[in-house]
Amino acid sequence: MESVVDQGWADVERTYQDEGPFEIMPIAYSIEYKEKMDILRTLMKNNEKSERALKLTEDIIALSPSNYVIWKYRQEIIKELNVDLKGELNLFVEYAEENPKCYQLWHHRQVIIEKLNDPLDELQFIHDMLQYDSKNYHAWTYREWIVRHFNLWDEEIKFSDTMIKDDDRNNSAWNYRFFILTEKPDNDIEAVLKDEIEYAKQKINFDPTNQSPWMYLKGIIEKSKYKLADFADELLPFCENLQKIEPYKYALEYQLYTNESILKTLNSEKEQEQQKDICRTICSKLEECDKIRKKYWKYVRESY
Amino acid sequence: MGVLDLPFSFDEISFNDGGIQTESSLVQMEVENDVKPLFQPYHVLEENRINYDHINLNRHAHIKFLRVGLKGLSSQAVGLDASQAWICYWILHALDLLGATLSKSEIERTINTISACQNPTGGFGGGPQQFSHVAPTYAAVNTLAIIGTEEAYNVVDREKLYEWFMSLKQPDGSFQMNEGGEIDVRGCYCVIATAKLLNILTPELTKDVAEFVASCQTYEGGIGGYPGNEAHGGYTFCGLATLEILNKTDYIDSEALMEWLTSCQMKLEGGFQGRINKLVDGCYSFWQGGSFPLLEAIYTRNQEQFDPCGFFDREALQEYILLCCQNQYGGLLDKPRKSPDFYHTCYCLSGLSLAQHYYNYDTIQNDFKENPELTTIVGKVSNLIRATHPVHNISMVKEKRITSYFSNSSIVNIGSNESISSSIEIITNKPKEEQV
């Protein structure tokens, strides 16, 4: 029977997979995969770093892209050979479409870019990848790495805005906005706080049922030197206005957090008790309109 | 509680897009439209409603589905070639929860395969002759724990494994997944949970791990994979379970975490989403559901008063798993229209177990105790499956057995000034019969 692997491997012994005397859950490997792996094991044993080894890893990646062993060996070969690193990036594109959530693919890309020490056009590339899946966790994680590693913070707030405009419920984009504003070296949250509150309010007005801007609003204020209570005069009426027609649970939640924050500023027992009453009333409303979290809201109410 | 008992039409608790359609809202509505007809026949407002005591866990079909996997996988499984230790764990844990007993041959073959995955460095690869990686190492050790025999336990070379774990440790406390590999909160959980079962947790190994995990808690309250990343159910469980093992749950803001976590249970589907504004997925029944016993333990230690049945809607979660995640020919799945696989079978059942059993944290023995009086079963009484351990996700019985086996074999540092690798010696003494 003719081998599926070409004659270039005649000199290489085969190292068969040793799964022990009697294995569980054997995989019925295709002849092609089995034979290529048998050769690869020998190459890895002999520590062969050659063009043909590089080519073989590519063949196997095509059959099993999440096999971390092959990726690691490939990275070792690349280290020794004078490989065109930019060409390596094309390999990623070839498999990323079908395996966008493969840890190995993304990590490989990071290793290559780190070696090139050049961010190239990676920000555009990630943007393109996010067109397929705008919430791809690996893509966002990789973008954060690129921005941190190469100090590319400047255009990123704009980018978060582009992504939020595409889908204002994309929580990954909101998290990214928070990341840029709070992790950027020498950031000054207080300086942008007013604008960010305005930004979140605008998105909430657009769709009060969207949890992401609500969380962002609370998060960004708490990250600054201010407390929620410091913005009560502006944000409590904002929540109440929204609810003139129907109750929005995230607006109620926000009212609760703000009132809780006010509670912490009060000194007299009488004032505290009145404030607790306000909090308890909001919790009761939440118990009504957020049924699935009834036990949680009851706990919060009883904790005052 | 539960969604089926709510006296509203499903439309009233459906997602409301406020007239604004985005990609997120469109896919959310699609899922709800798939779920509603599966719930409808059991709904309290339905005229000829089916009594929901009839809701059935298709136990035999699932056992069959899992057993077929143990016999062998088709050539299409080649993509899982580096996940063999994981598949062993997923299948064996699911079978264990379902109460299936492994045959002698299945046990022997599993030990053979897991042994073949072990490297001379002490770690385990995803398959035979694959270099070590912390994720399959966690899966391999959990698999051996599920088998639960002395022969299985003795496969592990604890001393070597410890040295290998130490070689992956980073200055910030975290761990690489393998030599030169990526770093995230999964690595912390896989290393710390495995080390806990094997009793090789040392101050050197645990140094700054809690600090790293805490730095991954986001403004949302949940935990991301790496500082700056979005809060995510999988990483949240990994981070919280790590802190629980290290007795350092006070490093994070547990109130904020509870707020986020409870908001991830879907109001119509009853299952959990992994991130805000994402879709329900059966596997988060465990990854998100599993954080509740851990958080409730914190609340118990802080002497907070809360509902005796905890913080999430346990009935609603069971409804989702039983009505939306079962394939009639066996196996469980992400959501309706998806195919079953071993991963989802394992984590849907693990989530079901957590929703059925209630765990009290025993502040005297510092351990989780099942409270049988609070067991909640949706559907047939026979749907009850075994209780899983909320930190390790192997059954309670198996966790007890392995920790008690290794409790007398500790790693001891001889002379604090010596280098780490030379200062470690494993002392094995006392036969295990002496333990109670």
Side-chain angles (χ1 to χ4, degrees), chain A residues 279-295:
Chain A
C279 293
R280 283 189 281 254
T281 309
I282 302 172
C283 287
S284 302
K285 285 184 191 164
L286 280 161
E287 280 170 68
E288 268 311 298
C289 76
D290 193 8
K291 289 269 187 254
I292 198 96
R293 294 167 87 193
K294 206 175 164 160
K295 289 199 275 192

Short mmCIF file of all heavy atoms in Angstrom, two decimals, chain A residues 279-295:
data_model
loop_
_atom_site.label_atom_id
_atom_site.label_comp_id
_atom_site.label_asym_id
_atom_site.label_seq_id
_atom_site.Cartn_x
_atom_site.Cartn_y
_atom_site.Cartn_z
N CYS A 279 -33.78 52.36 50.69
CA CYS A 279 -33.12 51.20 50.09
C CYS A 279 -34.03 49.97 50.10
O CYS A 279 -34.13 49.25 49.11
CB CYS A 279 -31.82 50.88 50.84
SG CYS A 279 -30.56 52.14 50.66
N ARG A 280 -34.67 49.74 51.24
CA ARG A 280 -35.54 48.56 51.35
C ARG A 280 -36.70 48.63 50.37
O ARG A 280 -37.09 47.62 49.77
CB ARG A 280 -36.07 48.42 52.79
CG ARG A 280 -35.03 47.86 53.75
CD ARG A 280 -35.64 47.52 55.10
NE ARG A 280 -35.82 48.72 55.91
CZ ARG A 280 -35.05 49.03 56.97
NH1 ARG A 280 -34.09 48.21 57.37
NH2 ARG A 280 -35.26 50.13 57.65
N THR A 281 -37.23 49.81 50.17
CA THR A 281 -38.35 49.95 49.23
C THR A 281 -37.88 49.60 47.81
O THR A 281 -38.59 48.92 47.05
CB THR A 281 -38.88 51.41 49.24
OG1 THR A 281 -39.13 51.77 50.58
CG2 THR A 281 -40.14 51.54 48.41
N ILE A 282 -36.69 50.06 47.45
CA ILE A 282 -36.19 49.74 46.11
C ILE A 282 -35.97 48.23 45.97
O ILE A 282 -36.32 47.62 44.95
CB ILE A 282 -34.87 50.49 45.81
CG1 ILE A 282 -35.08 52.00 45.94
CG2 ILE A 282 -34.36 50.14 44.42
CD1 ILE A 282 -33.81 52.82 45.85
N CYS A 283 -35.43 47.61 47.02
CA CYS A 283 -35.23 46.15 46.97
C CYS A 283 -36.56 45.43 46.75
O CYS A 283 -36.62 44.45 45.98
CB CYS A 283 -34.61 45.65 48.27
SG CYS A 283 -32.89 46.08 48.44
N SER A 284 -37.61 45.88 47.43
CA SER A 284 -38.91 45.23 47.26
C SER A 284 -39.37 45.31 45.81
O SER A 284 -39.93 44.36 45.26
CB SER A 284 -39.96 45.87 48.16
OG SER A 284 -39.55 45.80 49.49
N LYS A 285 -39.13 46.48 45.21
CA LYS A 285 -39.51 46.62 43.79
C LYS A 285 -38.70 45.65 42.93
O LYS A 285 -39.22 45.05 41.99
CB LYS A 285 -39.26 48.05 43.31
CG LYS A 285 -40.27 49.06 43.82
CD LYS A 285 -39.98 50.42 43.20
CE LYS A 285 -40.81 51.51 43.90
NZ LYS A 285 -40.29 52.85 43.59
N LEU A 286 -37.43 45.52 43.27
CA LEU A 286 -36.59 44.61 42.49
C LEU A 286 -37.02 43.16 42.68
O LEU A 286 -36.99 42.36 41.74
CB LEU A 286 -35.11 44.79 42.88
CG LEU A 286 -34.44 45.99 42.22
CD1 LEU A 286 -33.18 46.42 42.96
CD2 LEU A 286 -34.11 45.70 40.75
N GLU A 287 -37.45 42.82 43.88
CA GLU A 287 -37.94 41.46 44.11
C GLU A 287 -39.13 41.18 43.19
O GLU A 287 -39.30 40.05 42.73
CB GLU A 287 -38.38 41.28 45.57
CG GLU A 287 -37.22 41.03 46.51
CD GLU A 287 -37.64 41.11 47.98
OE1 GLU A 287 -38.40 40.23 48.42
OE2 GLU A 287 -37.23 42.07 48.66
N GLU A 288 -39.92 42.22 42.94
CA GLU A 288 -41.09 42.06 42.07
C GLU A 288 -40.71 41.93 40.60
O GLU A 288 -41.23 41.06 39.89
CB GLU A 288 -42.01 43.30 42.22
CG GLU A 288 -43.07 43.15 43.25
CD GLU A 288 -43.84 41.85 43.13
OE1 GLU A 288 -44.48 41.65 42.06
OE2 GLU A 288 -43.78 41.03 44.07
N CYS A 289 -39.79 42.79 40.14
CA CYS A 289 -39.56 42.82 38.69
C CYS A 289 -38.35 42.00 38.23
O CYS A 289 -38.13 41.82 37.05
CB CYS A 289 -39.48 44.26 38.17
SG CYS A 289 -37.94 45.08 38.54
N ASP A 290 -37.58 41.48 39.18
CA ASP A 290 -36.41 40.69 38.82
C ASP A 290 -36.55 39.33 39.51
O ASP A 290 -35.77 38.97 40.40
CB ASP A 290 -35.14 41.44 39.29
CG ASP A 290 -33.86 40.88 38.70
OD1 ASP A 290 -33.94 40.01 37.81
OD2 ASP A 290 -32.77 41.31 39.13
N LYS A 291 -37.55 38.58 39.06
CA LYS A 291 -37.98 37.36 39.76
C LYS A 291 -36.86 36.34 39.94
O LYS A 291 -36.75 35.70 40.98
CB LYS A 291 -39.11 36.69 38.96
CG LYS A 291 -40.40 37.44 39.01
CD LYS A 291 -41.26 36.97 40.17
CE LYS A 291 -42.62 37.61 40.13
NZ LYS A 291 -42.79 38.67 41.14
N ILE A 292 -36.04 36.20 38.92
CA ILE A 292 -35.03 35.15 38.98
C ILE A 292 -34.02 35.42 40.10
O ILE A 292 -33.40 34.51 40.63
CB ILE A 292 -34.34 34.97 37.60
CG1 ILE A 292 -33.61 33.62 37.50
CG2 ILE A 292 -33.39 36.10 37.29
CD1 ILE A 292 -34.40 32.55 36.84
N ARG A 293 -33.89 36.70 40.48
CA ARG A 293 -32.94 37.07 41.54
C ARG A 293 -33.65 37.41 42.84
O ARG A 293 -33.09 38.10 43.69
CB ARG A 293 -32.10 38.27 41.10
CG ARG A 293 -31.20 37.98 39.97
CD ARG A 293 -30.65 39.27 39.40
NE ARG A 293 -29.45 39.74 40.08
CZ ARG A 293 -28.94 40.96 39.93
NH1 ARG A 293 -29.55 41.83 39.16
NH2 ARG A 293 -27.83 41.30 40.54
N LYS A 294 -34.85 36.87 43.00
CA LYS A 294 -35.66 37.21 44.17
C LYS A 294 -34.92 36.97 45.49
O LYS A 294 -34.93 37.82 46.39
CB LYS A 294 -36.92 36.33 44.12
CG LYS A 294 -38.08 36.93 44.81
CD LYS A 294 -39.31 36.09 44.63
CE LYS A 294 -40.30 36.57 45.68
NZ LYS A 294 -41.64 36.23 45.41
N LYS A 295 -34.25 35.83 45.59
CA LYS A 295 -33.57 35.49 46.84
C LYS A 295 -32.45 36.48 47.14
O LYS A 295 -32.19 36.83 48.29
CB LYS A 295 -33.00 34.07 46.76
CG LYS A 295 -34.07 33.00 46.79
CD LYS A 295 -33.53 31.65 47.15
CE LYS A 295 -32.98 30.92 45.96
NZ LYS A 295 -32.71 29.50 46.23
#
